[in-house]
Amino acid sequence: MSQENVELAAHLYEPATSKASMLDALPGTLELCHPEVEWTTGEDGLTYRGREGVREAFQRWLESFEDYRFEIQRIADCGGDQVLVVGTGVGTGARSGVEVRSKSHELLTIRTGMIVRRREFYDEHEALEAARQAE
């Protein structure tokens, strides 16, 4: 099952090449999520629940950027139902016009072909520890 989970994670991030493509792909992204998904963001630590919560999280995040993309460095099977996606978010501020870069570690929990939980970390060791605790 772990290879299927890695492939699902890769599919989730395919449209992350621009803000426009992410918004266009949002309906398909939501279909990859369990109806009761928990989606925790790193920037504010909020947990959004359900597909509508994920929609809100995406829209809120992307509103702050003129453009945004997520460049994947790697996707790793962490065992069980955990997949770690390591990448760098690159965005141009909607108000400032300044480019910002931020590396993040997104830990996905995937069960029966759907994302049931997503947590964002800025430290890889914390993300891997969270994956170990979930086993």
Side-chain angles (χ1 to χ4, degrees):
M1 187 57 108
S2 59
Q3 182 58 35
E4 289 90 358
N5 289 348
V6 168
E7 290 171 9
L8 187 142
H11 182 66
L12 176 70
Y13 289 88
E14 278 176 9
T17 57
S18 72
K19 177 179 175 177
S21 64
M22 291 171 76
L23 289 171
D24 288 346
L26 190 53
T29 297
L30 297 176
E31 289 299 315
L32 296 175
C33 296
H34 187 277
E36 297 176 18
V37 64
E38 291 183 5
W39 194 274
T40 303
T41 61
E43 70 276 356
D44 56 16
L46 293 177
T47 297
Y48 297 84
R49 300 192 191 290
R51 289 177 176 159
E52 283 308 309
V54 173
R55 179 188 308 280
E56 180 184 344
F58 262 97
Q59 290 174 331
R60 174 180 270 183
W61 174 249
L62 291 173
E63 282 176 358
S64 62
F65 296 100
E66 181 67 33
D67 198 21
Y68 181 83
R69 68 184 183 276
F70 190 76
E71 300 171 346
I72 296 176
Q73 273 95 48
R74 72 179 194 281
I75 299 174
D77 173 15
C78 293
D81 54 10
Q82 306 289 316
V83 175
L84 180 64
V85 179
V86 179
T88 301
V90 181
T92 303
R95 292 187 190 159
S96 68
V98 174
E99 183 178 278
V100 293
R101 292 177 166 269
S102 177
K103 187 170 185 175
S104 70
H105 305 81
E106 300 185 4
L107 185 62
L108 305 176
T109 303
I110 301 170
R111 293 190 188 117
T112 62
M114 300 188 95
I115 298 163
V116 297
R117 188 173 190 195
R118 179 241 186 217
R119 293 177 285 167
E120 185 176 359
F121 299 88
Y122 294 109
D123 180 87
E124 185 165 355
H125 296 292
E126 287 180 29
L128 292 172
E129 181 61 28
R132 278 191 286 281
Q133 291 175 2
E135 290 180 357

